[in-house]
């Protein structure tokens, strides 16, 4: 079992930065990949970024590539999503996920989820 708690969301102006954190407990943190997804009102949950257990491989959605950076600190059992040059379209609830199987871009393939943290980007 894995428990995930996100933090760091809030209101930020377009062009600004925000760092989200995902604190994990339960299974050994380095043993599973971590991902970030987001869901805007009226839209489906979409993939944002993922990182493997050791932190050596990262994957990004085209919409955030070059602006967002996913990382993890296995000593602190915490994953991060650094969001730079944010845009109003980035407004959504951001979710941390763990332990995928199959297609890492598909929400249904991830086993564990946090409660989400709201990110609102003002223009």
């Amino acid at each position: 079992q894995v428990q995930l708690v996100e933090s760091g969301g809030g209101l930020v102006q377009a062009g600004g930065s925000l760092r989200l954190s995902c604190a994990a407990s339960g299974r050994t943190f380095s043993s599973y990949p971590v991902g970030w997804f987001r869901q805007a009102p009226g839209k489906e949950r979409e993939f944002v970024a993922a990182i493997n257990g050791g932190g050596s491989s990262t994957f990004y959605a085209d919409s955030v590539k070059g602006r967002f950076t996913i990382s993890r600190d296995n000593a602190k059992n915490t994953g991060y999503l650094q969001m730079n040059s944010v845009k109003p379209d980035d407004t959504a609830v951001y979710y941390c996920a763990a332990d995928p199987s199959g297609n890492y871009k598909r929400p249904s393939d991830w086993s564990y989820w946090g409660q989400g943290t709201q990110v609102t980007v003002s223009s």
Side-chain angles (χ1 to χ4, degrees):
Q1 290 287 337
V2 175
Q3 293 78 42
L4 304 171
V5 178
E6 302 96 335
S7 61
L11 176 64
V12 59
Q13 288 189 334
S17 298
L18 208 60
R19 188 176 82 157
L20 306 183
S21 298
C22 173
S25 60
R27 279 172 42 197
T28 302
F29 186 60
S30 59
S31 69
Y32 51 85
V34 169
W36 287 93
F37 288 76
R38 66 188 182 186
Q39 188 166 17
K43 295 187 177 181
E44 293 186 352
R45 193 168 298 190
E46 65 173 2
F47 169 76
V48 175
I51 187 168
N52 69 341
S56 59
S57 296
T58 56
F59 309 89
Y60 296 93
D62 287 344
S63 59
V64 306
K65 203 171 293 183
R67 299 188 299 121
F68 291 8
T69 301
I70 189 171
S71 62
R72 64 191 298 158
D73 186 336
N74 287 345
K76 295 183 178 179
N77 294 343
T78 302
Y80 303 97
L81 183 69
Q82 177 67 43
M83 307 169 59
N84 296 332
S85 302
V86 295
K87 306 173 182 179
D89 283 350
D90 295 322
T91 295
V93 177
Y94 282 72
Y95 297 90
C96 176
D99 199 21
S101 60
N103 186 344
Y104 64 88
K105 292 185 177 180
R106 191 161 52 204
S108 60
D109 279 11
W110 291 75
S111 300
Y112 304 99
W113 292 87
Q115 82 289 351
T117 185
Q118 176 71 47
V119 172
T120 303
V121 182
S122 63
S123 57

